[in-house]
Amino acid sequence: MTRVLIADDEDSMRSLVARAIAMDGHETVTAQDGAEALEVLTRDEGAFDLLLTDIQMPVMDGIALALTAARDFPALKILLMTGFAHQRERASGLEAIVHDVVTKPFSVADIRTAVADALAASKA
């Protein structure tokens, strides 16, 4: 079973994404911001197949989380989410460490497809 860590400061978005991904049989763990997600990654020694994180969050944003996670856990696949065009632009230079950026709002089918694509790419 694949493990996905979801970081988003919006409870409803975190819950929606976790439920959507669980529909495909993935184990999900959630965090309310980047700092909490980094704590989970460190505690579990990076034992996740995918990090799915919002870009704009308090404490530690998704870009800082992605950079730290990629440095500390280079095998971890990273997928970003954002509802803001300027945040998507901030991620444009991260192609080497980020699989893709999913634009909010998205449908359940969209996020399931994005996760499937990211996980398939990591196995290729």
Side-chain angles (χ1 to χ4, degrees):
M1 178 181 295
T2 55
R3 294 185 79 210
V4 180
L5 177 57
I6 302 161
D8 197 306
D9 59 318
E10 293 178 41
D11 292 338
S12 60
M13 181 59 65
R14 213 171 40 244
S15 177
L16 170 76
V17 171
R19 283 193 319 270
I21 293 169
M23 292 170 68
D24 292 321
H26 306 301
E27 177 187 343
T28 61
V29 176
T30 61
Q32 63 186 358
D33 58 49
E36 183 182 352
L38 188 56
E39 287 175 17
V40 171
L41 276 171
T42 302
R43 179 190 71 216
D44 289 9
E45 298 177 347
F48 289 89
D49 300 286
L50 179 68
L51 169 62
L52 176 56
T53 180
D54 191 18
I55 293 177
Q56 187 168 312
M57 295 183 292
V59 186
M60 173 187 262
D61 72 11
I63 302 276
L65 173 60
L67 290 168
T68 304
R71 180 195 70 209
D72 295 348
F73 308 102
L76 181 65
K77 224 16 150 178
I78 301 170
L79 192 58
L80 300 177
M81 305 178 284
T82 188
F84 303 96
H86 68 281
Q87 295 295 338
R88 187 175 179 90
E89 290 170 15
R90 283 184 58 213
S92 65
L94 302 177
E95 291 87 3
I97 63 167
V98 173
H99 176 74
D100 198 6
V101 180
V102 182
T103 303
K104 295 179 184 177
F106 46 72
S107 69
V108 167
D110 291 339
I111 196 65
R112 289 173 69 194
T113 298
V115 166
D117 288 351
L119 291 170
S122 67
K123 293 176 181 145

